[in-house]
Amino acid sequence: MRALEIVATGPMVTVQDAGRFGHAALGVGRSGAADAASYALANRMLANPAGAAALEVTLGGLRVRARGPLTVTVTGADTPLRVDGRGAAMHTVLCLSDGAELVMGTPARGLRTYLGVRGGVDVPPVLGSRSTDVLAGLGPDLPAPGTVLPVGPPPPGFPNVDLVPVPAVGGPETTLRVVPGPRREWFTDGALTTLLSSAYEVTSRSDRVGARLSGPVLDRARDGELPSEGMVPGSLQVPPTGEPVLFLADHPVTGGYPVIAVVRSADLPLAAQARPGTAIRFTL
């Protein structure tokens, strides 16, 4: 049996795929890879089906051992790589022999790195997805040292590139495009102007559920709270403190705080790579 054995995990590792669709009415969110672009690139490089499961690694530190020969790639936040003690490159197709160890360092910029394996991580799906939803507690358990993750059969196609040159992700500042939210009337006339003209910092209280931001307060024009209503990834929800929370992959499906704006889906991979301390600016 081909498999990935977890030797060390670093701060956090989860199994993720394209997400869990069609269950919001049951209170179950989509989840899936936070940086969908880097995750999808890993599967394309390996000729995997689009929804094959991979490992999402937060701030590096992953160490895995191949059980059987494996073909892998590493995408997302640029992190130092070593295979059996020798340096390896990001965004390349790597062949691991039986017993070979791949080690990730800590990325200098960005937050999330993806380890894709040809054939995909073949853990049992839950509600049609192999993703771990850390808010709902659905999907496979977080890998720990000693965990052995089976790898599925290789797809019929073969990788047709050895290296994909891509721009580095992450950085000290990022700009996210937004559209006005459904509850603009809950805020003063100047609140949206404040949001669009200020820099907000990603705080250490951020995770796969959402990025908690620190910056100028967004003043409300109304008191009280909304009845809970549906939420989507990218929602900028504003609790009574006035500092926004940017919902990411494992966000709740409903919320009672007003949403002043929503980040465009195409920019969510940028948001997923914003580590604590990153300055975020918003633009219409």
Side-chain angles (χ1 to χ4, degrees), residues 18-277:
R20 191 171 280 112
F21 295 90
H23 302 290
L26 303 176
V28 177
R30 173 177 170 176
S31 191
D35 178 355
S38 296
Y39 155 78
L41 175 62
N43 278 329
R44 291 198 305 273
M45 290 182 64
L46 298 169
N48 275 340
L55 294 183
E56 181 180 278
V57 185
T58 302
L59 283 177
L62 177 67
R63 183 177 178 182
V64 296
R65 181 180 296 122
R67 290 197 175 185
L70 299 176
T71 302
V72 304
T73 191
V74 181
T75 62
D78 198 355
T79 181
L81 293 179
R82 302 191 72 81
V83 175
D84 280 345
R86 297 181 178 179
M90 294 277 299
H91 305 108
T92 62
V93 176
L94 303 171
C95 296
L96 306 183
S97 59
D98 183 26
E101 291 193 2
L102 181 147
V103 179
M104 292 185 189
T106 301
R109 53 189 286 171
L111 183 61
R112 294 180 169 95
T113 304
Y114 293 85
L115 174 62
V117 57
R118 184 166 157 79
V121 177
D122 196 21
V123 295
V126 177
L127 293 178
S129 170
R130 293 179 170 87
S131 289
T132 298
D133 185 329
V134 298
L135 179 65
L138 288 174
D141 293 335
L142 298 184
T147 299
V148 176
L149 299 170
V151 172
F158 291 92
N160 56 17
V161 294
D162 296 322
L163 165 68
V164 176
V166 295
V169 301
E173 182 173 307
T174 189
T175 298
L176 304 177
R177 296 171 296 170
V178 298
V179 295
R183 298 299 177 185
R184 278 185 62 188
E185 74 276 7
W186 277 67
F187 299 90
T188 63
D189 292 338
L192 186 61
T193 300
T194 298
L195 178 72
L196 298 175
S197 61
S198 305
Y200 287 82
E201 183 176 315
V202 179
T203 73
S204 60
R205 297 179 297 132
S206 303
D207 53 22
R208 278 182 48 86
V209 177
R212 294 182 178 272
L213 307 180
S214 175
V217 168
L218 302 175
D219 294 321
R220 288 195 193 179
R222 297 186 182 184
D223 296 325
E225 298 300 337
L226 285 163
S228 289
E229 57 186 2
M231 291 290 147
V232 298
S235 296
L236 277 165
Q237 192 184 62
V238 184
T241 60
E243 293 184 314
V245 178
L246 171 55
F247 279 162
L248 299 176
D250 287 352
H251 70 90
V253 296
T254 62
Y257 298 138
V259 173
I260 190 171
V262 180
V263 174
R264 291 174 62 95
S265 297
D267 286 3
L268 288 177
L270 301 175
Q273 293 293 356
R275 64 200 296 172

